[in-house]
Amino acid sequence: MEPAVEPTVARTSPPLPDVCGLLDGIPGQRVPHQVTRPAEESPRVRRRRPPRIPVPFTLSYAAVLAVTSAVAAHADPALVHTLHQGSSTDVAHLLTDPAQVLIASALWVAGGLLSPFTLGFLVVLTALEHRIGGPRTAVVFLLGHVLATLATEVPVGLAVLVGHLPDSSLHRLDYGISFGVAASVGALAGLLRPWLRLPLLIALGGLLLQDLIAFTDPLTDWGHLIALAIGVGTWPRVRRWSRERRTGGGS
């Protein structure tokens, strides 16, 4: 008899160990991770980048004032008077072409480039633009310039209308940046610490009151006080703008 053949039992081989980690240990087999680094600008590219202007609105405006002041200082006096008269925000011009004269009147400095208003313009608007940005500084400046001008000229027109002032008052010469500067000082005071804010407002307010008491140019002196008050009235807005600028949300 043939020997009985034992049935073949299928054996399951144990799973092979994971050798992925072992292969990494073999010299020459480990591939280093590729670290992607942001491309760095070459020195040539960095040199081509234009320099950043810290206060573009103030410096651009100051350049315009320098040009108009040079014209006022060296041009023929008759021509200068004609230019000033054409830029005057008197009642007659405000009735016929208000937008043009409100802009043109802010292109001149009463007293020339060496006027105290020029220094005040540079110091105050530079500080304000650093805190709230150029476009918003322009808004504050124009707000004081326009509203204080209207607040002083509209009563003149009404007084002429009822016969309290002569018709010549409709052509009163009125131009310059002083109303805008006064409003900018008032706005800037709201961004300063109290120990600096109060002395600034007291000193400027005292000077403006002295000018008003002297009664040499009462309409202009009233305009300066009104413009300062307008600037103070912008404190809630300029403080919010300053916070937005510090956190990167403002222009």
Side-chain angles (χ1 to χ4, degrees):
M1 293 180 62
E2 295 182 357
V5 179
E6 295 180 359
T8 304
V9 179
R11 297 181 178 178
T12 304
S13 301
L16 295 175
D18 188 5
V19 296
C20 294
L22 297 176
L23 290 175
D24 290 342
I26 301 176
Q29 299 299 317
R30 179 170 297 175
V31 179
H33 295 285
Q34 299 294 330
V35 179
T36 303
R37 295 182 179 179
E40 297 181 356
E41 294 181 346
S42 64
R44 181 175 298 178
V45 174
R46 288 197 295 268
R47 284 196 298 268
R48 289 179 180 177
R49 179 178 297 175
R52 180 178 177 272
I53 301 176
V55 282
F57 169 71
T58 301
L59 294 179
S60 301
Y61 200 169
V64 173
L65 295 177
V67 172
T68 57
S69 297
V71 171
H74 301 291
D76 182 73
L79 174 62
V80 173
H81 179 75
T82 301
L83 293 174
H84 285 167
Q85 189 66 53
S87 304
S88 175
T89 51
D90 52 45
V91 177
H93 283 138
L94 288 174
L95 289 174
T96 57
D97 201 352
Q100 179 177 335
V101 294
L102 283 169
I103 295 174
S105 64
L107 302 180
W108 303 91
V109 181
L113 198 60
L114 299 180
S115 168
F117 288 111
T118 305
L119 178 60
F121 172 90
L122 291 174
V123 173
V124 173
L125 266 73
T126 295
L128 189 60
E129 187 171 357
H130 270 303
R131 288 166 171 80
I132 65 174
R136 291 165 174 176
T137 300
V139 169
V140 172
F141 183 92
L142 289 175
L143 191 67
H145 175 71
V146 172
L147 294 184
T149 298
L150 295 177
T152 53
E153 292 296 340
V154 169
V156 172
L158 295 176
V160 172
L161 185 63
V162 298
H164 290 168
L165 289 175
D167 291 346
S168 60
S169 299
L170 298 176
H171 304 278
R172 171 181 171 270
L173 196 61
D174 188 13
Y175 64 90
I177 62 172
S178 59
F179 291 170
V181 173
S184 299
V185 173
L188 178 62
L191 302 177
L192 302 177
R193 297 184 181 276
W195 64 268
L196 185 57
R197 178 192 311 149
L198 294 178
L200 175 63
L201 291 177
I202 292 173
L204 181 59
L207 289 175
L208 297 180
L209 285 174
Q210 286 182 0
D211 292 340
L212 185 61
I213 294 172
F215 213 71
T216 55
D217 191 355
L219 285 179
T220 300
D221 297 334
W222 271 116
H224 291 155
L225 285 171
I226 293 171
L228 180 63
I230 291 171
V232 172
T234 65
W235 282 4
R237 184 59 59 89
V238 296
R239 284 169 174 168
R240 181 168 65 84
W241 286 343
S242 179
R243 288 193 299 268
E244 291 176 356
R245 185 169 175 84
R246 288 197 304 268
T247 58
S251 58

